[in-house]
Amino acid sequence: MKYISTRGSAPELEFEDVLLAGLASDGGLYVPKELPHYSLEEIRSWRELPYSSLAFKIIQPFVGGAIDDETLQAMLDETYAGFGHKAVAPLAQLDHNEYVLELFQGPTLAFKDFALQLLGRLLDHVLTKRNERAVIIGATSGDTGSAAIEGCKHSKHIDIFIMHPHNRVSEVQRKQMTTILEDNVSNLAVEGNFDDCQGMLKACFANQDFLRGERRLVAVNSINWARIMAQIVYYFYASLNLGGPDRSMAFSVPTGNFGDIFAGYLAKKMGLPINQLIVATNQNDILHRVMSQNKYEKHPLAHTLSPSMDIVVSSNFERLLFDVYDRNGATLADLMSKLNSETVELEAERMAKVRELFDSHAVNDDVTCATIADVYQETGYLLDPHTAIGVKAARECRRDSMIPMITLGTAHPVKFADAVEKAGLSTPELPHHLQDLFEREERYEVMPNELKALQDFVASKVF
């Protein structure tokens, strides 16, 4: 399979090179040149498959022979065997035709595990094959960092550096990252916000001179195509467990960077009947403002009880816009340059096309806590703040009560004690494998919000 850049002027690449490239050389994001498409009959035939076997069916065409089938299936089996529930992504029912897809059963208790535990294995396989060593620099608003570190900490071919905004992630999120003491892992607490971290990450990819041409720089953020690819699977899995593809589904997705919900969009394009995709977001509501008002305008970052969505610029929205603008890279490159510097309205007919599938809703902290409390009182089920935003958005935006509504449960509530306690409830205990988390030794560097400081630190560690 070939991959092309959303901005049209980078070379086409195959899977291995896209895996290692992250951002395209023209500043765009890689997407498949063509998507596989499945008939309802073929999707129906997958109903009895366990998660890792279904993942093989979805992922194999994207890998395009870069990894032989037997090795790929073994990687998938190993990845999802490490999850804490035999179903891997179980469904919890809140009401008639209302469900939460529990995507927090992985080792770091967040949906990022579905992609990042696999990504670490994919990178190790390709780098071993090429006899190369790579540098990973990542930026996290909370959950990406711990999942990436968990996936890559044992690799002999990777040095990983994860930036998080200093004092702006939850204590559990921080400790899941900073208590990993392997020599190839560095945690950097940046004196800024997530967008500052993401800005420095993009600057590193734009100019890699600090690596002196001796190391490859690899992305683990959701700009890396392999992350999107892995997330497509659980849309199929949820649907098949609720009568799909013979009935359509609706999904509500807590999202800041648009990657998780873009995977749902791709699932629909690949043949899965999806009636509605709901963008659920917090006070950092740039996606909601685009969807509801057709106004793309950056506002100052607000710090909320749902920190994984405290993002001003949603990087993966570019991948959707590429399709909306008929996959015209030059047009999109011009549009993206405007989005970074001014308020932009999309053409009316383009926006109408987006709204055929997408709705959106923004939820503040008070409503988030009220939703956590209400759902617990109704069902005894405890939501984390991100999933609570998804449930509230689902209830506000639902188009058809006859169609199952599935909210993606993106994190375990134990990671967000502040929100749970402000909802008037007790934080649950940490799962068994994390029982001693608060006693573990931490190691991290507090770093100024300066690109040169970051690059000098990385260079000092790898050379």
Side-chain angles (χ1 to χ4, degrees), residues 132-133 207-217 462-463:
E132 291 185 23
R133 190 170 180 88
N207 184 347
Q208 301 182 25
D209 289 350
F210 68 102
L211 293 177
R212 307 192 313 221
E214 297 179 27
R215 295 286 181 90
R216 182 189 292 272
L217 184 61
V462 299
F463 298 120

Side-chain angles (χ1 to χ4, degrees), residues 1-4 11-15 17-18 21 30:
M1 180 176 286
K2 297 288 187 180
Y3 291 84
I4 57 175
E12 291 185 7
L13 297 181
E14 295 190 356
F15 177 76
D17 293 311
V18 165
Y30 277 107

Side-chain angles (χ1 to χ4, degrees), residues 51-319:
Y51 193 92
S52 63
S53 298
L54 177 64
F56 177 84
K57 294 286 189 183
I58 303 297
I59 289 171
Q60 194 271 344
F62 293 113
V63 173
I67 301 171
D68 68 86
D69 288 355
E70 185 178 351
T71 300
L72 178 61
Q73 183 65 74
M75 275 187 203
L76 293 164
D77 290 342
E78 185 179 288
T79 295
Y80 298 115
F83 280 52
H85 195 293
K86 288 186 71 175
V88 182
L91 284 154
Q93 188 165 8
L94 300 183
D95 201 348
H96 178 68
N97 265 351
E98 185 183 16
Y99 301 86
V100 171
L101 180 64
E102 294 188 346
L103 301 179
F104 48 77
Q105 300 289 346
T108 72
L109 312 181
F111 81 98
K112 310 291 178 74
D113 283 322
F114 278 84
L116 287 167
Q117 302 314 311
L118 176 61
L119 180 61
R121 290 171 169 85
L122 291 170
L123 287 171
D124 220 25
H125 176 85
V126 171
L127 291 168
T128 300
K129 177 179 169 183
R130 295 185 173 203
N131 194 27
E132 291 185 23
R133 190 170 180 88
V135 170
I136 288 174
I137 302 178
T140 186
S141 55
D143 290 328
T144 293
S146 57
I149 290 169
E150 185 68 26
C152 298
K153 66 183 181 182
H154 297 304
S155 176
K156 297 177 181 177
H157 299 272
I158 293 171
D159 292 295
I160 182 167
F161 301 82
I162 297 293
M163 296 178 280
H164 70 268
H166 187 38
N167 292 331
R168 290 177 178 176
V169 299
S170 77
E171 188 175 10
V172 171
Q173 287 177 313
R174 187 190 76 246
K175 284 181 173 288
Q176 281 185 301
M177 295 185 284
T178 59
T179 57
I180 303 299
L181 305 180
E182 270 78 1
D183 290 340
N184 67 327
V185 174
S186 296
N187 281 285
L188 309 174
V190 174
E191 295 175 320
N193 59 40
F194 170 74
D195 287 295
D196 295 325
C197 298
Q198 187 163 250
M200 287 197 287
L201 173 64
K202 290 180 178 179
C204 288
F205 274 93
N207 184 347
Q208 301 182 25
D209 289 350
F210 68 102
L211 293 177
R212 307 192 313 221
E214 297 179 27
R215 295 286 181 90
R216 182 189 292 272
L217 184 61
V218 175
V220 292
N221 283 54
S222 57
I223 61 172
N224 190 310
W225 163 254
R227 285 206 32 198
I228 305 293
M229 171 188 77
Q231 290 168 333
I232 296 169
V233 179
Y234 45 69
Y235 286 90
F236 279 86
Y237 188 73
S239 174
L240 288 165
N241 276 278
L242 291 175
D246 297 319
R247 60 196 306 211
S248 189
M249 302 289 153
F251 291 88
S252 179
V253 186
T255 187
N257 226 3
F258 205 77
D260 206 9
I261 198 165
F262 183 72
Y265 166 78
L266 292 179
K268 179 177 175 64
K269 290 191 70 177
M270 291 165 65
L272 187 68
I274 294 177
N275 170 264
Q276 182 185 19
L277 290 171
I278 300 170
V279 174
T281 189
N282 62 18
Q283 290 152 263
N284 298 294
D285 60 351
I286 189 167
L287 289 171
H288 174 55
R289 284 182 279 114
V290 173
M291 296 292 177
S292 61
Q293 305 170 27
N294 190 15
K295 185 174 288 188
Y296 191 102
E297 180 182 44
K298 291 188 285 188
H299 288 182
L301 186 76
H303 300 291
T304 75
L305 293 172
S306 46
S308 297
M309 297 192 293
D310 286 350
I311 295 170
V312 170
V313 179
S314 297
S315 297
N316 283 291
F317 192 55
E318 178 170 343
R319 284 182 159 121

Side-chain angles (χ1 to χ4, degrees), residues 338-379:
K338 294 176 182 175
L339 291 181
N340 289 326
S341 59
E342 57 189 87
T343 300
V344 174
E345 292 185 5
L346 304 183
E347 298 165 21
E349 64 272 20
R350 312 277 184 186
M351 200 65 234
K353 185 177 178 182
V354 171
R355 288 172 176 155
E356 289 175 7
L357 178 63
F358 289 93
D359 288 290
S360 66
H361 191 70
V363 180
N364 64 28
D365 280 350
D366 288 343
V367 176
T368 299
C369 292
T371 304
I372 293 171
D374 289 347
V375 170
Y376 188 80
Q377 185 174 21
E378 294 163 3
T379 66

Side-chain angles (χ1 to χ4, degrees), residues 417-429:
D418 286 352
V420 173
E421 289 168 8
K422 285 185 179 180
L425 302 170
S426 300
T427 306
E429 289 189 3

